[in-house]
Amino acid sequence: MAHWWSVLLSRLVLLEWNAQDGIEALLPYVMPFLVTFAKKTKYKLQVLTKAAAELSKYMPEKAAEDTSSILRSPMPGAVVAVSVKPGDMVSEGQEICVIEAMKMQNSMIAAKTGKVKAVHCKAGDTVGEGDLLVELE
């Protein structure tokens, strides 16, 4: 029997099963819980080896990035147009730039009202998913 540990709602739960059966053997144990509670709440389930579970307490938590003042590319593509420059005032919902991906043009808009601090792209640039396009103050 292989021992795997699951961290669920800050509780450590021991699951035992024959490792030769593969991960599918865990589904009868995990799915009833997820089906019962998933209708009301989202839970983060992480299945780890015992060693990984013990070491996970030493891993730093990744801080969530404040994305209210920045605009990142949601997809890889080409910048078709940039409608702002540093120092411009933008209002919530105003178009900042246009990215073309798979022959479709996608308008990127400001999430909040503010002053443009920096523009990190120009028309013709190729951008990847998550690339920083514009910063607001």
Side-chain angles (χ1 to χ4, degrees), residues 14 21 24 63 71 75 99 105 114:
L14 173 64
D21 293 337
E24 296 82 15
L71 176 64
M75 69 203 82
I99 296 178
Q105 292 192 354

Side-chain angles (χ1 to χ4, degrees), residues 11-99:
R11 294 183 187 172
L12 203 57
V13 179
L14 173 64
L15 302 172
E16 293 186 20
W17 89 101
N18 186 343
Q20 294 169 337
D21 293 337
I23 196 76
E24 296 82 15
L26 284 177
L27 293 180
Y29 302 102
V30 176
M31 287 310 290
F33 177 83
L34 295 177
V35 169
T36 302
F37 295 101
K39 295 177 183 174
K40 298 179 183 176
T41 309
K42 292 183 180 180
Y43 293 96
K44 181 179 179 182
L45 178 67
Q46 191 176 25
V47 178
L48 304 169
T49 63
K50 183 177 180 183
E54 290 171 357
L55 293 172
S56 68
K57 62 185 172 190
Y58 299 109
M59 296 298 293
E61 288 288 324
K62 190 173 186 180
E65 181 181 34
D66 177 20
T67 58
S68 64
S69 297
I70 60 172
L71 176 64
R72 291 193 180 276
S73 175
M75 69 203 82
V79 178
V80 175
V82 179
S83 308
V84 297
K85 61 184 183 303
D88 286 355
M89 287 299 295
V90 294
S91 57
E92 184 177 346
Q94 180 180 338
E95 181 178 277
I96 293 181
C97 66
V98 178
I99 296 178

Side-chain angles (χ1 to χ4, degrees), residues 8 14 20 44 51 57 75 80 95 102-103 118 120 124 127 129 132 134:
L8 181 62
L14 173 64
Q20 294 169 337
K44 181 179 179 182
K57 62 185 172 190
M75 69 203 82
V80 175
E95 181 178 277
M102 297 176 56
K103 306 267 187 222
H120 299 278
V127 293
E129 182 179 352
L132 184 60
V134 176

